[in-house]
Coordinates of all heavy atoms in Angstrom, one line a residue:
M1 N 40.9 -6.9 41.2 CA 40.5 -8.3 41.4 C 39.8 -8.4 42.8 O 40.3 -7.8 43.7 CB 41.8 -9.2 41.4 CG 41.4 -10.6 41.8 SD 42.8 -11.8 42.1 CE 44.1 -11.3 41.0
L2 N 38.7 -9.2 42.8 CA 38.1 -9.5 44.0 C 38.6 -10.8 44.5 O 38.5 -11.8 43.8 CB 36.5 -9.6 43.8 CG 35.7 -10.1 45.0 CD1 35.9 -9.2 46.3 CD2 34.3 -10.3 44.6
I3 N 39.1 -10.8 45.7 CA 39.5 -12.0 46.4 C 38.5 -12.3 47.5 O 38.3 -11.4 48.4 CB 41.0 -11.9 47.0 CG1 42.0 -11.7 45.8 CG2 41.3 -13.2 47.7 CD1 43.4 -11.5 46.3
I4 N 37.9 -13.4 47.4 CA 36.8 -13.7 48.4 C 37.0 -15.2 48.9 O 37.3 -16.1 48.1 CB 35.4 -13.5 47.7 CG1 34.3 -13.7 48.6 CG2 35.3 -14.4 46.4 CD1 32.9 -13.3 48.1
D5 N 36.7 -15.4 50.2 CA 36.8 -16.7 50.7 C 35.6 -17.5 50.3 O 34.5 -17.0 50.0 CB 37.0 -16.7 52.2 CG 35.8 -16.1 52.9 OD1 35.6 -14.9 52.9 OD2 35.0 -16.9 53.5
T8 N 32.2 -17.1 52.2 CA 31.4 -15.9 51.9 C 30.8 -16.1 50.5 O 29.7 -15.7 50.3 CB 32.3 -14.7 52.0 OG1 32.8 -14.6 53.3 CG2 31.5 -13.4 51.7
V28 N 29.0 -7.2 52.2 CA 30.0 -7.9 53.0 C 31.0 -6.8 53.4 O 31.6 -6.1 52.6 CB 30.8 -9.0 52.1 CG1 31.8 -9.7 53.0 CG2 29.8 -10.0 51.5
A29 N 31.1 -6.6 54.7 CA 31.9 -5.6 55.3 C 33.3 -6.1 55.5 O 33.5 -7.3 55.7 CB 31.3 -5.1 56.6
G30 N 34.3 -5.2 55.6 CA 35.6 -5.5 56.0 C 36.3 -4.3 56.6 O 35.8 -3.2 56.5
P31 N 37.5 -4.6 57.2 CA 38.2 -3.5 57.8 C 38.5 -2.4 56.8 O 38.8 -2.6 55.7 CB 39.5 -4.1 58.3 CG 39.2 -5.6 58.4 CD 38.2 -5.8 57.4
I32 N 38.4 -1.1 57.3 CA 38.6 0.0 56.4 C 40.0 -0.1 55.7 O 41.0 -0.3 56.4 CB 38.5 1.4 57.2 CG1 37.0 1.6 57.6 CG2 39.0 2.5 56.3 CD1 36.8 2.8 58.5
G33 N 40.0 0.1 54.4 CA 41.3 0.1 53.7 C 41.9 -1.3 53.4 O 42.9 -1.4 52.7
S34 N 41.2 -2.3 53.8 CA 41.8 -3.7 53.7 C 41.4 -4.4 52.3 O 42.1 -5.2 51.9 CB 41.3 -4.6 54.8 OG 39.9 -4.9 54.6
D35 N 40.3 -4.0 51.7 CA 39.7 -4.6 50.6 C 39.5 -6.1 50.8 O 39.5 -6.9 49.9 CB 40.6 -4.4 49.3 CG 39.9 -4.7 48.0 OD1 38.7 -4.3 47.9 OD2 40.5 -5.2 47.1
R36 N 39.2 -6.5 52.1 CA 39.0 -7.9 52.5 C 37.6 -8.1 52.9 O 37.2 -7.6 54.0 CB 40.0 -8.3 53.6 CG 39.9 -9.7 53.9 CD 40.7 -10.1 55.1 NE 42.1 -10.1 54.7 CZ 43.1 -10.6 55.3 NH1 42.9 -11.3 56.4 NH2 44.4 -10.5 54.9
P37 N 36.8 -8.8 52.2 CA 35.4 -9.0 52.6 C 35.4 -10.1 53.7 O 35.7 -11.2 53.5 CB 34.7 -9.5 51.3 CG 35.8 -10.0 50.4 CD 37.1 -9.3 50.8
E38 N 34.9 -9.6 54.9 CA 35.0 -10.6 56.0 C 33.7 -10.8 56.7 O 33.4 -11.9 57.2 CB 36.0 -10.0 57.1 CG 37.4 -10.0 56.7 CD 38.3 -9.5 57.8 OE1 37.9 -9.0 58.8 OE2 39.6 -9.7 57.5
R39 N 32.8 -9.8 56.8 CA 31.5 -10.0 57.6 C 30.3 -10.0 56.6 O 30.0 -8.9 56.1 CB 31.4 -8.9 58.6 CG 30.2 -9.2 59.6 CD 30.3 -8.4 60.9 NE 30.3 -6.9 60.6 CZ 29.2 -6.2 60.7 NH1 28.0 -6.8 61.0 NH2 29.2 -4.9 60.5
D71 N 34.9 0.2 62.6 CA 36.0 0.6 61.7 C 35.9 -0.3 60.4 O 37.0 -0.8 59.9 CB 37.4 0.5 62.3 CG 37.5 1.6 63.4 OD1 37.0 2.7 63.3 OD2 38.1 1.2 64.4
E72 N 34.7 -0.5 59.9 CA 34.5 -1.3 58.7 C 33.9 -0.4 57.6 O 33.4 0.7 57.8 CB 33.5 -2.4 58.9 CG 34.0 -3.5 59.9 CD 32.9 -4.5 60.2 OE1 31.7 -4.1 60.4 OE2 33.2 -5.7 60.2
E73 N 34.0 -1.0 56.4 CA 33.4 -0.3 55.2 C 32.8 -1.4 54.3 O 33.1 -2.6 54.5 CB 34.4 0.5 54.4 CG 35.5 -0.3 53.8 CD 36.6 0.5 53.2 OE1 36.4 1.7 53.0 OE2 37.7 -0.1 52.8
P74 N 31.9 -1.1 53.4 CA 31.3 -2.1 52.5 C 32.3 -2.5 51.5 O 32.7 -1.6 50.7 CB 30.1 -1.4 51.9 CG 30.4 0.1 52.0 CD 31.3 0.2 53.2
V75 N 32.8 -3.7 51.6 CA 33.8 -4.2 50.6 C 33.1 -4.7 49.4 O 33.5 -4.5 48.2 CB 34.8 -5.2 51.2 CG1 35.7 -5.8 50.2 CG2 35.5 -4.6 52.4
I76 N 32.0 -5.4 49.6 CA 31.1 -6.0 48.6 C 29.7 -5.6 48.8 O 29.2 -5.6 49.9 CB 31.2 -7.6 48.6 CG1 32.5 -8.1 48.2 CG2 30.1 -8.1 47.6 CD1 32.7 -9.6 48.3
I77 N 29.1 -5.1 47.7 CA 27.6 -4.9 47.7 C 27.1 -5.9 46.7 O 27.5 -5.8 45.5 CB 27.3 -3.4 47.4 CG1 27.9 -2.5 48.4 CG2 25.8 -3.3 47.2 CD1 27.8 -1.0 48.1
E98 N 29.1 3.6 46.1 CA 30.3 3.3 46.8 C 31.5 3.0 45.8 O 31.7 1.8 45.4 CB 30.1 2.0 47.7 CG 29.2 2.3 48.9 CD 29.8 3.1 50.0 OE1 31.0 3.3 50.0 OE2 29.1 3.6 50.9
P99 N 32.2 4.0 45.4 CA 33.3 3.8 44.4 C 34.3 2.8 44.8 O 35.0 2.2 43.9 CB 33.8 5.2 44.2 CG 33.5 6.0 45.4 CD 32.2 5.4 45.9
G100 N 34.5 2.5 46.1 CA 35.6 1.6 46.5 C 35.1 0.2 46.6 O 35.9 -0.8 46.8
A101 N 33.8 0.0 46.5 CA 33.2 -1.4 46.7 C 33.3 -2.2 45.4 O 33.3 -1.7 44.3 CB 31.7 -1.3 47.1
H102 N 33.3 -3.5 45.6 CA 33.1 -4.5 44.6 C 31.6 -4.7 44.5 O 30.9 -5.1 45.5 CB 33.8 -5.8 44.9 CG 35.2 -5.7 45.2 ND1 36.2 -5.8 44.2 CD2 35.9 -5.5 46.3 CE1 37.4 -5.7 44.7 NE2 37.2 -5.5 46.0
Y103 N 31.0 -4.6 43.3 CA 29.6 -4.9 43.1 C 29.5 -6.3 42.5 O 29.8 -6.5 41.4 CB 29.0 -3.8 42.2 CG 28.7 -2.5 42.9 CD1 29.7 -1.5 42.9 CD2 27.6 -2.2 43.6 CE1 29.5 -0.3 43.6 CE2 27.4 -1.0 44.3 CZ 28.4 -0.1 44.3 OH 28.2 1.1 45.0
V104 N 29.0 -7.2 43.3 CA 28.9 -8.6 42.9 C 27.4 -8.8 42.5 O 26.5 -8.4 43.2 CB 29.3 -9.5 44.1 CG1 28.8 -11.0 43.8 CG2 30.8 -9.5 44.3
S123 N 31.9 -9.9 39.4 CA 32.2 -8.7 40.2 C 32.6 -7.6 39.3 O 33.3 -7.7 38.3 CB 33.3 -9.0 41.2 OG 33.5 -7.9 42.0
F124 N 32.1 -6.4 39.7 CA 32.4 -5.1 38.9 C 32.8 -4.0 39.8 O 32.4 -4.0 41.0 CB 31.1 -4.7 38.2 CG 30.5 -5.8 37.3 CD1 29.7 -6.8 37.8 CD2 30.9 -5.9 36.0 CE1 29.2 -7.8 37.0 CE2 30.4 -7.0 35.2 CZ 29.5 -7.9 35.7
R125 N 33.5 -3.1 39.3 CA 33.7 -1.8 39.9 C 32.8 -0.8 39.1 O 32.7 -0.9 37.9 CB 35.2 -1.3 39.8 CG 36.1 -2.2 40.5 CD 36.0 -2.1 42.0 NE 37.1 -2.7 42.7 CZ 37.5 -2.4 43.9 NH1 36.9 -1.5 44.6 NH2 38.5 -3.1 44.4
E134 N 35.8 -7.3 36.8 CA 37.1 -7.7 37.4 C 37.1 -9.2 37.7 O 36.0 -9.8 37.8 CB 37.4 -6.9 38.7 CG 36.3 -7.1 39.8 CD 36.6 -6.3 41.0 OE1 37.6 -5.7 41.2 OE2 35.7 -6.3 41.9
E135 N 38.3 -9.7 37.7 CA 38.4 -11.1 38.0 C 38.0 -11.4 39.4 O 38.2 -10.6 40.3 CB 39.9 -11.5 37.9 CG 40.2 -13.0 38.1 CD 41.7 -13.3 38.0 OE1 42.5 -12.5 37.5 OE2 42.1 -14.3 38.6
V136 N 37.4 -12.6 39.6 CA 37.0 -13.1 41.0 C 37.9 -14.3 41.3 O 37.9 -15.2 40.5 CB 35.5 -13.5 41.0 CG1 35.2 -14.1 42.4 CG2 34.6 -12.3 40.7
R137 N 38.6 -14.2 42.4 CA 39.4 -15.3 42.9 C 38.8 -15.8 44.2 O 38.8 -15.1 45.2 CB 40.8 -14.8 43.0 CG 41.8 -15.9 43.5 CD 43.2 -15.4 43.4 NE 44.1 -16.4 44.1 CZ 45.2 -16.1 44.6 NH1 45.6 -14.8 44.6 NH2 46.0 -17.0 45.2
V139 N 39.1 -18.2 47.4 CA 40.2 -18.8 48.1 C 39.5 -19.6 49.3 O 38.4 -19.2 49.7 CB 41.2 -17.8 48.6 CG1 41.9 -17.2 47.4 CG2 40.7 -16.8 49.5
Y142 N 41.7 -16.6 54.2 CA 42.6 -15.5 54.1 C 43.8 -15.7 55.0 O 43.7 -16.4 56.0 CB 42.0 -14.2 54.5 CG 40.8 -13.8 53.7 CD1 39.5 -13.7 54.3 CD2 40.9 -13.6 52.4 CE1 38.4 -13.3 53.6 CE2 39.7 -13.2 51.6 CZ 38.5 -13.1 52.3 OH 37.4 -12.7 51.5
T143 N 45.0 -15.1 54.6 CA 46.1 -15.1 55.5 C 46.3 -13.7 55.9 O 45.5 -12.8 55.7 CB 47.4 -15.6 54.8 OG1 47.7 -14.8 53.7 CG2 47.2 -17.1 54.3
G145 N 48.8 -11.5 55.0 CA 49.6 -10.6 54.1 C 48.9 -9.3 53.8 O 47.8 -9.0 54.1
T146 N 49.7 -8.4 53.1 CA 49.2 -7.1 52.8 C 48.9 -6.9 51.3 O 48.1 -6.0 51.0 CB 50.2 -6.0 53.2 OG1 51.4 -6.3 52.6 CG2 50.4 -6.1 54.7
T147 N 49.4 -7.7 50.4 CA 49.1 -7.5 49.0 C 48.0 -8.5 48.7 O 47.8 -9.5 49.4 CB 50.3 -7.8 48.1 OG1 50.6 -9.2 48.2 CG2 51.5 -6.9 48.5
P148 N 47.2 -8.3 47.6 CA 46.2 -9.2 47.3 C 46.6 -10.6 47.2 O 45.9 -11.5 47.7 CB 45.7 -8.7 45.9 CG 45.9 -7.2 45.9 CD 47.3 -7.1 46.7
D149 N 47.8 -10.9 46.6 CA 48.2 -12.3 46.5 C 48.6 -12.8 47.9 O 48.5 -14.0 48.2 CB 49.4 -12.5 45.6 CG 48.9 -12.3 44.1 OD1 47.7 -12.6 43.8 OD2 49.7 -11.9 43.3
E150 N 49.1 -12.0 48.8 CA 49.5 -12.4 50.1 C 48.3 -12.6 51.0 O 48.4 -13.3 52.0 CB 50.5 -11.4 50.8 CG 51.8 -11.3 50.1 CD 52.7 -10.2 50.6 OE1 52.1 -9.2 51.2 OE2 53.9 -10.2 50.4
K151 N 47.2 -11.9 50.7 CA 46.0 -11.9 51.5 C 45.3 -13.3 51.4 O 44.4 -13.6 52.2 CB 45.1 -10.8 51.2 CG 45.5 -9.5 51.8 CD 44.3 -8.6 51.7 CE 44.5 -7.6 50.6 NZ 43.4 -6.6 50.5
A152 N 45.6 -14.0 50.4 CA 44.8 -15.2 50.1 C 45.7 -16.4 50.2 O 46.9 -16.4 49.9 CB 44.2 -15.1 48.7

Side-chain angles (χ1 to χ4, degrees):
M1 174 189 325
L2 170 61
I3 298 174
I4 184 171
D5 66 283
T8 304
V28 184
I32 292 174
S34 72
D35 199 38
R36 183 183 293 197
E38 293 183 349
R39 188 165 62 97
D71 294 323
E72 294 175 318
E73 63 187 351
V75 176
I76 294 174
I77 299 171
E98 291 286 348
H102 302 270
Y103 284 88
V104 166
S123 183
F124 304 87
R125 295 292 189 152
E134 61 185 349
E135 180 182 345
V136 175
R137 183 173 169 205
V139 298
Y142 300 119
T143 62
T146 56
T147 67
D149 288 332
E150 292 172 341
K151 282 195 255 185

